[in-house]
Amino acid sequence: MAETARLHVVRVERTQADIDWLTERLTRLFHGSTRSVLVPAGGDENPVAALEDVERRTIFLPDEVGLVMRTSGSTSAHGRLVGISASQLLSSIHATDARLGGSGTWVLALPPNHIAGLQVVARAAVGDRPVVVVEGKVTPQSLADAIDDAVHKDPAARVYLSLVPTQLTDCMTDPAAREALTRCSAILVGGAATPTQLIAEARAAGIPIVLTYGMSETCGGCVYDGIPLDGVKVRLNEDGRVSLSGPMVMSGYLDEGPTGDWYLTGDIAHWQDGRLVVEGRVDDLIVSGGLKISPDHVARAVTATGLVKNCVVVGLPDQRWGQVVTAVVTGCRNPEHIREAVDLPRELRPQVVVSAEAIPMLASGKVDRLKVRSLAQQARDDGSAWMR
């Protein structure tokens, strides 16, 4: 039986007081001065109920584990319990510093109870630098103010930021925020597929974005701009499924057991010009008329038409085709024009287009694909979707 008495669920919100506490707690973890295992919780969670759930599911808890991250379960509605050691976190932090050119002052605009936000705090703690916290709602203006504060606080004006694509999209429409982003040394963008057009516009504006690929199981991003960080090994099996190995890979799942030398992800990818290109999740692949279709590939093509602001592609059940390619879009006035405008073979183009006010998101900043699929199904059922 696992020693679950070591588990401590603590609610950590994006406030200066909570981040100061988290910084001190992570410093103790790195120095080996605590045996308790931190399980960060979100502001809307009941810590007692969360602890009961984690304890009930835990069957594996090795001594080295000092942190448990609960994955969002964006496609399954049931997250996993990821066990991480101080050594694994430090390996990730040192590899990131080496790639970015050194430590700096970090701006926190993501939830600290998820790996991307927690790593912002952890990197700052290791570099003995402050964390500039964007408290309350993250807006382009509050983000610009935080970057200004960070630039003034850092002796070398070396400022880092981690964003999800929707936050970057919002900043690109605000001149002050867009200018502030150019003063960062690097902006890590991950957590979801980033539209090609958004990448091009940001880089053309002089914004130093770094596209990251990783997950809680790898202590966050472990491949930057398609190039694995130092110590990271990537292997693709015959159908393109990604396996990862390296010193920042987790100890294992508390609710399942240890991992081997290689962690088999749920992602499909390929190599292009020496860089890893992630196509999407295995579980998200759409099988339509016998074809396996990457939803992210289609979503990028839809966004590239310029007819939409955001796009998420899912498969809806269909008696004839098995599944039909369905695009849920925002900022679109003429959904009926999308299919013909998409630069893809006809069999890959959306057969259903749903206009939405906003794309459903999880607290982590990832797309809530379950809600997207439900929204799309409802629109098709009630006739409000465009259908081929």
Side-chain angles (χ1 to χ4, degrees):
M1 184 69 180
E3 188 187 349
T4 57
R6 295 172 54 214
L7 296 167
H8 293 275
V9 175
V10 180
R11 191 158 51 197
V12 185
E13 299 185 65
R14 193 166 24 81
T15 66
Q16 192 63 59
D18 279 10
I19 297 311
D20 289 344
W21 177 88
L22 181 59
T23 300
E24 189 275 335
R25 179 60 180 74
L26 290 172
T27 299
R28 290 172 56 203
L29 171 64
F30 295 141
H31 290 167
S33 58
T34 178
R35 284 197 72 250
S36 71
V37 179
L38 173 63
V39 186
D44 58 349
E45 291 189 85
N46 181 331
V48 175
L51 178 60
E52 290 175 351
D53 174 66
V54 174
E55 287 182 329
R56 176 180 55 81
R57 295 165 57 195
T58 296
I59 62 172
F60 169 74
L61 183 58
D63 287 343
E64 69 194 46
V65 168
L67 174 70
V68 175
M69 302 305 297
R70 293 169 296 154
T71 64
S72 58
S74 59
T75 58
S76 66
H78 184 65
R80 308 298 303 277
L81 305 178
V82 178
I84 296 173
S85 71
S87 174
Q88 290 153 5
L89 265 180
L90 287 169
S91 293
S92 172
I93 291 166
H94 293 324
T96 293
D97 284 348
R99 181 63 58 87
L100 298 183
S103 59
T105 297
W106 283 85
V107 173
L108 178 65
L110 297 174
N113 61 303
H114 293 283
I115 192 63
L118 183 133
Q119 273 284 40
V120 165
V121 183
R123 294 179 191 119
V126 171
D128 195 25
R129 299 294 179 88
V131 180
V132 176
V133 182
V134 183
E135 298 197 50
K137 184 178 180 180
V138 178
T139 65
Q141 183 60 58
S142 65
L143 199 50
D145 291 343
I147 292 170
D148 286 341
D149 189 12
V151 169
H152 292 137
K153 285 183 175 180
D154 194 279
R158 195 164 188 82
V159 172
Y160 297 127
L161 174 64
S162 188
L163 298 176
V164 293
T166 52
Q167 291 174 322
L168 178 60
T169 298
D170 291 342
C171 286
M172 290 298 293
T173 63
D174 184 281
R178 189 167 53 199
E179 190 278 330
L181 293 181
T182 65
R183 286 180 278 132
C184 294
S185 295
I187 299 170
L188 307 184
V189 181
T194 307
T196 304
Q197 185 177 353
L198 176 61
I199 297 169
E201 290 177 358
R203 288 179 170 161
I207 298 171
I209 65 170
V210 177
L211 300 177
T212 69
Y213 166 67
M215 54 217 71
S216 298
E217 290 86 344
T218 59
C219 296
C222 62
V223 177
Y224 285 12
D225 284 334
I227 306 297
L229 295 180
D230 293 347
V232 177
K233 297 178 182 178
V234 179
R235 184 171 70 188
L236 305 183
N237 65 14
E238 290 183 357
D239 64 358
R241 192 163 176 178
V242 179
S243 290
L244 299 167
S245 179
M248 62 285 292
V249 174
M250 66 174 178
S251 298
Y253 291 117
L254 273 64
D255 50 335
E256 181 176 302
T259 56
D261 293 335
W262 289 86
Y263 167 61
L264 179 63
T265 76
D267 299 312
I268 298 291
H270 66 273
W271 293 103
Q272 182 175 317
D273 299 326
R275 296 178 184 268
L276 187 72
V277 179
V278 180
E279 301 172 30
R281 300 281 299 172
V282 173
D283 294 343
D284 296 336
L285 284 178
I286 300 168
V287 181
S288 182
L291 289 175
K292 291 183 178 180
I293 301 170
S294 165
D296 287 348
H297 179 59
V298 178
R300 286 192 292 268
V302 171
T303 305
T305 65
L307 297 175
V308 308
K309 181 179 179 182
N310 294 304
C311 174
V312 176
V313 171
V314 296
L316 291 182
D318 183 82
Q319 288 186 349
R320 180 179 181 185
W321 300 104
Q323 289 181 301
V324 288
V325 177
T326 303
V328 178
V329 300
T330 65
C332 180
R333 295 182 178 180
N334 303 109
E336 67 276 11
H337 294 165
I338 288 177
R339 178 174 169 81
E340 294 305 318
V342 171
D343 185 18
L344 288 174
R346 297 191 69 82
E347 61 269 20
L348 303 185
R349 300 179 191 179
Q351 298 188 57
V352 180
V353 179
V354 177
S355 289
E357 290 294 321
I359 300 295
M361 306 293 287
L362 297 163
S364 63
K366 294 183 179 181
V367 173
D368 189 334
R369 300 190 74 87
L370 288 175
K371 287 188 177 179
V372 170
R373 192 172 287 110
S374 176
L375 184 156
Q377 183 67 58
Q378 181 178 345
R380 187 173 71 167
D381 292 345
D382 65 22
S384 62
W386 174 87
M387 291 183 285
R388 180 187 174 211

